[in-house]
Structure formats: structure tokens, C-alpha cells
Amino acid sequence: MKNKLLTIALTAACCLTYIACDDNKDEFLDEFSTILSFRNCDEIEVEVYNTGENGEYQLIVNKSGTQLGTVTRASIDVMDKALLEIYNEQNGKDYQLYPEDCYVFNGDKQIEFGPNDTYQTRSVTLITDKILESNQQEGNFVIPFILQNSADSINAERKYVFLKPAVIVPNVAFEKTGYNLNIISDAMDANEIELNLPAVFSVDNKWNFSCTLEPDESLLTEYNEKNGVDYTMLSEEAYTLSNEGKILFTAGSKSASLTVTVKRNKLSYEL
């Protein structure tokens, strides 16, 4: 009899537990039927290039949940100093605000989702020269955004974006540096030997520009001392540089080259 009572009691408890869990699940789904969040969130490092042009970043807000056809809205706002200090205190951060002249928020801060919209975007223009000035000061500077003011749910873990611009100075460099062996001998028929000297640009190239190559004997002296060798410079009459030493880059290409023409009859050979 005791076993039967125990079995009945356990069965009743399981039924009650199942009913309670099922009710909570329905409430959870109802509460989060439409959820808004930043696609990329938290601290985001953005590279901007010191080329005289400003940078750009796209903020993307996603709509998710069980009811994607919901019409909803929210706002993307820049956090003020007081709100950022609260965030710092709660999350162990030391963020500081970039001055307002370091960026421009493009478009309406209010974002609206139609029944067929699953995401919305807003662009932020990053003012390179102003950011560079701020980066020279002490501080952990960011442009902080918060997603808020929605009648629907906002994912608490994906409602912040902290843009952290890093100003990069592009550079041109030789594709291959150091010692490059080129053999020229009297057995060659041609008197003028063309040697190709390729160079590369460090970022995607959107411009037509040139840089000038100038031989510098002091660099050779420094290389000799550092590497324990005794290379000597060719005489000026023994070679010419194409385009008067200019390497010409064209938009869309990260590489260009210079032709060094060596005059074999002007070379001197040391034994």
C-alpha cells in the first residue's frame, strides 16, 4: 500500500512539474517573440587610413525571434558621459568619449523595421585627422553606441557598440628587401641589362600616385656595417632608373615596379 501511495505521489509531482515548465516556456516565447540586437557588438577596432580621406563604419541592427513579421522600431544613440561612466563601473572598463567632432552619425537615429525587414543599417563617418589628434592624448577613447527605446525586446548582451578607431599610416615598400643577387657577365650579348624592382602598397589602393627612388650611399654603408660585408655602389654612369626614379601606382593596384637598366660596359670588376 505504501508503494502504491508513493507511486501515485511521484506521478502527481511529475505532472505538476511538467505543467509548470510548459507554462513558463510559453511565457518566455511570448516575451521574446521579437528581439533586436547589434550584429557586431562590444569593442570593435576600426582601421582608418591617414590618406586625407575619412573612414566609414556600418552599424547593423538585426531583428530576430519567433515573430519576424513584426513592425517595430528602436533608436541608436551615442552614450553620454554619465551613461558611459555607469557602464565603466559595472563592467570594469575605463572608456572615454571621443570629442563630437571626431565622427558623424549619418541618417536618422530612429530605425524602423517593416514586416519584411530583418536588419537595418546606419553609417558612421570617422574624421581621420580629428581622431589622430585625440589618439595622441592619454586615454582609452571610444565612440559608444547603445540600442534602446523599443517596445520589443533588446538583447541585453548585444545592445552596446564601442568603436575604437586606429589610424594607420600606409606605406610603400620593396617587395623583396636586403641582398638580391643579379649576375651580369661578359658572356651576355646585350650591353644594357634591365632589372625589375617591384614595390607594394600596404593597403587597398584607391589613388593614382608616385614615389621617388633615390640611391643613398649612407644606407649601403649602414648595411655593410650591420652585416659584415663590403659592397660598393655602382657609379652613376653605370645605370639608369626608369621614369627618373619614379614608381607609378595606379588606382586599383597595390603593386608597381621600377626598371633599373645596367650598362655592362660601364661596370668595373674587382678580383
Side-chain angles (χ1 to χ4, degrees), residues 137-201:
Q137 302 174 21
E138 290 290 333
N140 188 12
F141 289 97
V142 295
I143 307 171
F145 296 96
I146 181 171
L147 183 64
Q148 59 184 1
N149 300 325
S150 178
D152 290 289
S153 176
I154 294 177
N155 187 328
E157 295 182 356
R158 305 189 67 85
K159 69 176 185 178
Y160 297 106
V161 168
F162 302 95
L163 293 186
K164 195 172 179 61
V167 180
I168 306 298
V169 179
N171 63 76
V172 174
F174 291 121
E175 189 176 88
K176 186 178 180 181
T177 60
Y179 178 73
N180 292 279
L181 178 63
N182 295 280
I183 298 176
I184 299 175
S185 72
D186 287 335
M188 294 179 172
D189 294 330
N191 178 54
E192 294 188 347
I193 312 300
E194 293 187 350
L195 305 176
N196 191 46
L197 192 60
V200 292
F201 191 46

Side-chain angles (χ1 to χ4, degrees), residues 13-66:
C14 287
C15 290
L16 289 171
T17 303
Y18 173 80
I19 293 171
C21 289
D22 187 61
D23 286 345
N24 288 340
K25 183 180 180 182
D26 289 340
E27 291 174 4
F28 178 84
L29 290 176
D30 288 341
E31 183 181 356
F32 298 102
S33 57
T34 302
I35 307 170
L36 302 180
S37 62
F38 282 120
R39 180 176 297 180
N40 301 302
C41 61
D42 299 327
E43 184 176 309
I44 300 173
E45 185 167 304
V46 183
E47 291 185 349
V48 292
Y49 300 104
N50 190 14
T51 58
E53 296 185 359
N54 295 324
E56 198 86 8
Y57 183 81
Q58 287 282 343
L59 294 167
I60 304 175
V61 178
N62 284 346
K63 180 177 71 173
S64 59
T66 59

